[in-house]
Amino acid sequence: MSSDSSNEASSSSEGALPKHVAIIMDGNGRWAQQQGKLRTFGHKAGVDAVRASVRFARKKGIKALTLFAFSSENWKRPKDEVKVLMQLFNLVLSSEVKKLNKNNIRLKVIGDLSAFEQKLVDKIRKAEALTENNTSLTLNIAANYGGRWDIVNAAKQIVADVEQGLVKSEEITEESFNKYTCMSDLPTLDLLIRTGGDHRVSNFLLWQCAYAEFYFCETLWPDFDEQKFDEAISDFCQRQRRFGQTGEQVSPDNQGQG
Ligand code: IPE
Ligand code: IPE
Ligand code: MG
């Protein structure tokens, strides 16, 4: 065995690594409040945790990392907090894209961008275009994203294609529907992590998480580091994914026996 493990983080993982991990990065506000600071201080600290998780995902060989940055419901927050979140998104786009590109990382943004200022949308599209041929990791940021929006958006596009005669309604299948949803160009979602202690999906990837493994941890997002991420991956690697079959059917000892 090679002693050069620079491309791999240490872990006790047994099964296959997840190809696609999504994270509900929750707990920034509480993290700041615990220190007697404003919630927005937590969002700023959360950016460091984003950097660490991207670095780790790349090092670990994960192919896609989808991060929930702003939900379609987060507009309901106090105006000042929403403003800081938008500013941060803008700032991070300006400061990180070059580095992402240098590290061969492809950046994508999913969500209803029509609600954002045109300048921000242009910046996002430019960053996506710059990094589109990068192959080490796809960093997929969900901004003004809602799982229900994603499904309705897909349905609208299918209706438009049916109306134009490009698709017949009787030909629509789960597989063809999937092509209209966000992330259909990425590996299937394997693992969904939520930090911050709550056990809910908060309208994240409703269609895509049909057979994802869920991992919940108490850690507040700014404290989620390489080690915590690795714990989640190790946990995933020890699970048996059955996809409706029996444990015996999917057991490695039974490969090829149907
Ligand atoms: C997640 O942290 C970040 C966003 C939703 C943008 P929160 O801001 O929800 O933090 P808590 O859950 O209130 O602690
Ligand atoms: C989910 O967290 C959204 C993001 C992490 C961006 P929330 O903090 O908004 O979720 P709820 O409101 O607790 O369900
Ligand atoms: Mg929260």
Side-chain angles (χ1 to χ4, degrees):
M1 202 168 79
S2 163
S3 61
D4 178 15
S5 59
S6 56
N7 204 29
E8 246 181 37
S10 66
S11 90
S12 55
S13 39
E14 287 166 3
L17 281 171
K19 286 195 178 73
H20 187 168
V21 178
I23 311 183
I24 302 175
M25 311 183 287
D26 197 24
N28 291 349
R30 280 165 284 163
W31 184 88
Q33 283 164 335
Q34 278 173 8
Q35 301 168 55
K37 300 204 164 114
L38 291 174
R39 296 176 50 82
T40 48
F41 182 74
H43 296 316
K44 286 171 192 154
V47 175
D48 293 330
V50 169
R51 279 196 203 93
S53 68
V54 171
R55 204 180 315 125
F56 176 78
R58 182 169 170 267
K59 189 164 74 173
K60 193 85 183 169
I62 290 165
K63 294 316 292 175
L65 178 67
T66 296
L67 300 177
F68 204 6
F70 192 84
S71 77
S72 44
E73 288 73 32
N74 287 146
W75 296 107
K76 296 180 200 156
R77 293 194 175 196
K79 244 169 94 186
D80 285 351
E81 182 169 341
V82 171
K83 199 171 154 195
V84 168
L85 284 166
M86 290 302 137
Q87 283 169 347
L88 260 184
F89 189 30
N90 233 308
L91 264 172
V92 169
L93 270 175
S94 300
S95 64
E96 304 294 317
V97 170
K98 257 194 200 154
K99 262 184 277 171
L100 292 176
N101 195 37
K102 212 176 104 203
N103 288 324
N104 196 21
I105 295 171
R106 175 167 75 135
L107 179 74
K108 296 226 351 154
V109 177
I110 56 167
D112 183 3
L113 299 191
S114 67
F116 293 137
E117 282 178 18
Q118 192 52 45
K119 254 175 114 178
L120 179 57
V121 178
D122 293 345
K123 208 178 213 180
I124 290 168
R125 296 298 179 222
K126 216 173 134 193
E128 287 179 328
L130 177 75
T131 60
E132 74 179 337
N133 295 319
N134 292 344
T135 53
S136 74
L137 167 76
T138 297
L139 172 61
N140 190 33
I141 303 290
N144 192 24
Y145 177 89
R148 288 177 174 171
W149 164 83
D150 192 354
I151 295 167
V152 169
N153 190 47
K156 280 183 179 167
Q157 292 178 65
I158 293 189
V159 169
D161 280 359
V162 169
E163 280 173 354
Q164 285 186 55
L166 298 169
V167 177
K168 289 198 183 101
S169 62
E170 60 270 24
E171 287 169 2
I172 300 167
T173 61
E174 290 182 13
E175 242 183 327
S176 71
F177 187 93
N178 185 57
K179 294 205 177 89
Y180 292 84
T181 61
C182 293
M183 317 206 312
S184 60
D185 56 329
L186 299 179
T188 306
L189 181 65
D190 294 310
L191 171 63
L192 176 65
I193 299 172
R194 181 174 187 136
T195 66
D198 285 317
H199 297 187
R200 57 175 171 262
V201 179
S202 299
N203 196 18
F204 199 23
L205 304 160
L206 300 180
W207 170 270
Q208 296 85 348
C209 70
Y211 262 107
E213 295 294 324
F214 286 68
Y215 181 88
F216 297 101
C217 65
E218 294 295 319
T219 312
L220 301 173
W221 177 249
D223 290 330
F224 191 79
D225 55 14
E226 287 214 359
Q227 193 196 325
K228 303 278 184 198
F229 200 164
D230 204 25
E231 280 166 21
I233 302 294
S234 295
D235 195 279
F236 171 89
C237 291
Q238 274 149 34
R239 297 183 191 185
Q240 185 187 52
R241 303 180 78 192
R242 291 187 286 277
F243 301 98
Q245 294 184 283
T246 67
E248 289 73 26
Q249 283 177 297
V250 297
S251 153
D253 306 333
N254 260 351
Q255 287 300 310
Q257 292 175 34

